[in-house]
Amino acid sequence: MFFLCAISLQSSIILVYIWQTIPFVILILYPALLSFPKEIYDAAAVDGATGFQCFRFVTLPLLKPALFVALVFRIIISFRAFGHIWALTQGGPLRATELLSIYMYRQGFRYWQFGKAAAVGWLMLVLTMALASYQMSSMYKKMFLR
């Protein structure tokens, strides 16, 4: 019974989070799509490309920088997610939906262990910076250094 409850709580958190983040990603990707020249698609149509091939070989490579920016921002923001999970489950039954940010909050403001909370905060900062730096360097190499 607990397993089904935890799954339903996690899926509700995922749905709320997706509902919140879709507009941000669209705000990044839509202007990038509008900036593509129409001549590239005309050339692909002349070469006999289907709609899927046009998406795979023309749109997706041109969209990679914008996807990269959206992905980096989403990962950074997701790593420090707190508000929705706290409002919906407060860490869930038996810590099923507890993240580092909720753990940090509990350590600092429930158990009055500010040292542990500060250490978790610094750990989150270092992990976020390392992840974003790795992702930025790998995507830079893939996009510009061939």
Side-chain angles (χ1 to χ4, degrees), residues 69-85:
V69 169
L71 183 66
V72 168
F73 278 120
R74 290 303 344 141
I75 287 175
I76 290 171
I77 293 170
S78 298
F79 194 73
R80 57 180 182 83
F82 177 79
H84 293 97
I85 297 171

Side-chain angles (χ1 to χ4, degrees), residues 93-109:
L94 299 176
R95 297 182 172 184
T97 59
E98 186 174 275
L99 299 175
L100 277 176
S101 57
I102 293 175
Y103 178 77
M104 179 177 63
Y105 175 80
R106 283 191 176 153
Q107 291 300 316
F109 296 111

Side-chain angles (χ1 to χ4, degrees), residues 103-104 106-119:
Y103 178 77
M104 179 177 63
R106 283 191 176 153
Q107 291 300 316
F109 296 111
R110 252 199 206 156
Y111 306 129
W112 297 97
Q113 295 179 351
F114 294 111
K116 281 186 182 179

Side-chain angles (χ1 to χ4, degrees), residues 7 11 14 18 36 47 62 103 113 127 133:
I7 289 175
S11 61
I14 290 170
I18 288 172
F36 298 160
D47 289 341
L62 290 174
Y103 178 77
Q113 295 179 351
L127 286 175
S133 298

Side-chain angles (χ1 to χ4, degrees), residues 17-39:
Y17 195 72
I18 288 172
W19 184 260
Q20 178 209 5
T21 60
I22 284 177
F24 175 75
V25 174
I26 288 174
L27 280 175
I28 292 177
L29 297 182
Y30 187 64
L33 283 171
L34 291 178
S35 69
F36 298 160
K38 187 173 175 8
E39 294 83 17

